[in-house]
Amino acid sequence: SINKLTNGANMINYEFISKGRLDGVVVDVAMPVKIPALSLKKAIAKFSPKENCCMAVIYWTSRKGNESKKVIAIPHVTRKQRKGK
């Protein structure tokens, strides 16, 4: 039997929209990037922001079909880094 996790059917497509500041106004600095991953945490780890990107807005649809949105600051500090473990 195929392990469900290696099978691409369980992936969630996370859409990253990079935002930066231009004269104090927040603007898109790059084209939206779609990253397939099993979790938001892993998708954020894969995401590599462009220069002058200060935050990213992430949109995705959960496995249950719920639309979600999250805004993260760039550079993103993981829980592991914050807790110093």
Side-chain angles (χ1 to χ4, degrees):
S1 69
I2 298 169
N3 176 2
K4 265 194 178 160
L5 295 178
T6 56
N7 175 353
N10 244 342
M11 295 289 211
I12 292 176
N13 282 315
Y14 294 92
E15 186 175 14
F16 286 77
I17 300 168
S18 301
K19 303 277 189 182
R21 287 193 188 282
L22 192 70
D23 300 330
V25 182
V26 175
V27 291
D28 292 15
V29 293
M31 289 297 291
V33 181
K34 279 195 163 54
I35 299 178
L38 287 171
S39 69
L40 179 60
K41 184 176 165 184
K42 288 178 181 168
I44 292 171
K46 281 187 202 171
F47 176 62
S48 53
K50 296 269 185 294
E51 292 296 312
N52 67 27
C53 168
C54 68
M55 62 197 216
V57 184
I58 311 165
Y59 294 97
W60 74 95
T61 306
S62 74
R63 290 181 182 90
K64 285 183 177 179
N66 299 326
E67 298 288 325
S68 297
K69 167 191 169 181
K70 184 165 176 70
V71 179
I72 60 165
I74 303 291
H76 179 71
V77 183
T78 63
R79 179 182 164 85
K80 198 174 191 178
Q81 290 166 326
R82 287 198 312 270
K83 301 298 175 203
K85 288 186 176 173

